[in-house]
Amino acid sequence: NFGTAAAGSQPTILNVALSNPGHLPAQFLFQFPKDLTLEKAPSWCDERIAAANEEAHFDWVEEHRIYEVEPREGTIPPGGFIFVRFTYHHINVGTHLLPVVFNVLQGRSALIYMKAHSTPPNVGRLSVRSQRIELTPVAIGVEEGPMQVVEVTNNGVVQAPWRIEGTSIEELKANNYGFEILKVFPDSGVIEPNSSTYLHLWFTPVEAKEYHCP
């Protein structure tokens, strides 16, 4: 995952070290979708990219050189290593996916899905590590559960105002005898570009069960 940046930003570059712990030279090759003919494509790879709309997306991404891998092939000496540079170009707003097959001659193959986002230059982009956040279990009977923290990041290049929609939290309270099961602070704010803030949550259960607060 190359993350998120505004369209028109400098390319995002990831450098990955490939090592060869063996006693023989290791030849490797990165294959993009257009490099894979029907005869050469592994069945597990072909199944993942069979949909016509996905193929059109992959074709567009590859034709516009949204991603680059350098070097695409090479040989790693025994006990040696080589750096491979993965580059993502922020030239178009949207989410860009591209499957790449990493092959080792007389060895294994692996499917790598490259993913990145480019946002409009005047829009913030909020994100959390997961769409589903599981809080640490808390024992029944405590006066107030321990504080737990969730990071919220603005990957855009402008400020991003945010606020917590409290309706589900109030419903959770109403369905549990008016007891404040979940408390969140702060409930609103503004995150600067390429910065983060932290939500502080207190989970205090009254029964031994799972609680859900969408």
Side-chain angles (χ1 to χ4, degrees):
N1 193 323
F2 288 75
T4 303
S9 300
Q10 291 296 315
T12 298
I13 297 175
L14 301 178
N15 290 300
V16 177
L18 302 178
S19 63
N20 177 14
H23 301 289
L24 297 173
Q27 292 181 270
F28 68 89
L29 171 67
F30 289 95
Q31 292 180 291
F32 282 29
K34 289 185 181 299
D35 300 324
L36 295 169
T37 64
L38 292 177
E39 290 76 21
K40 292 170 17 182
S43 59
W44 50 268
C45 176
D46 187 57
E47 291 173 359
R48 292 290 299 273
I49 62 175
N53 59 336
E54 286 186 338
E55 288 183 348
H57 175 79
F58 299 153
D59 287 345
W60 187 93
V61 169
E62 189 171 355
E63 288 172 1
H64 289 79
R65 299 176 63 86
I66 301 295
Y67 292 101
E68 291 184 292
V69 178
E70 298 176 337
R72 292 274 290 270
E73 59 183 299
T75 301
I76 308 175
F81 65 92
I82 188 172
F83 284 102
V84 177
R85 182 172 66 182
F86 295 81
T87 303
Y88 169 66
H89 297 280
H90 301 273
I91 64 173
N92 177 265
V93 173
T95 299
H96 302 107
L97 301 169
L98 188 69
V100 175
V101 177
F102 173 65
N103 286 312
V104 177
L105 185 65
Q106 297 180 341
R108 296 182 178 180
S109 297
L111 178 62
I112 302 171
Y113 259 79
M114 296 192 290
K115 179 179 180 180
H117 307 274
S118 289
T119 62
N122 59 345
V123 175
R125 181 183 175 89
L126 295 178
S127 64
V128 293
R129 293 186 180 274
S130 173
Q131 293 183 346
R132 177 186 174 92
I133 298 172
E134 295 189 6
L135 299 178
T136 301
V138 176
I140 298 173
V142 298
E143 183 176 347
E144 184 175 71
M147 183 179 70
Q148 303 187 46
V149 176
V150 174
E151 183 180 15
V152 182
T153 301
N154 175 16
N155 294 304
V157 295
V158 297
Q159 291 182 333
W162 64 272
R163 67 182 180 88
I164 297 295
E165 173 54 60
T167 302
S168 58
I169 297 177
E170 289 301 317
E171 290 178 352
L172 182 66
K173 179 179 178 179
N175 293 332
N176 286 275
Y177 320 106
F179 192 82
E180 192 171 35
I181 301 295
L182 181 65
K183 183 169 64 175
V184 182
F185 179 83
D187 60 4
S188 64
V190 177
I191 306 179
E192 295 296 321
N194 297 310
S195 301
S196 298
T197 192
Y198 295 91
L199 300 181
H200 301 91
L201 299 91
W202 290 266
F203 169 53
T204 310
V206 293
E207 296 180 278
K209 65 178 185 179
E210 285 191 357
Y211 292 84
H212 301 273
C213 187

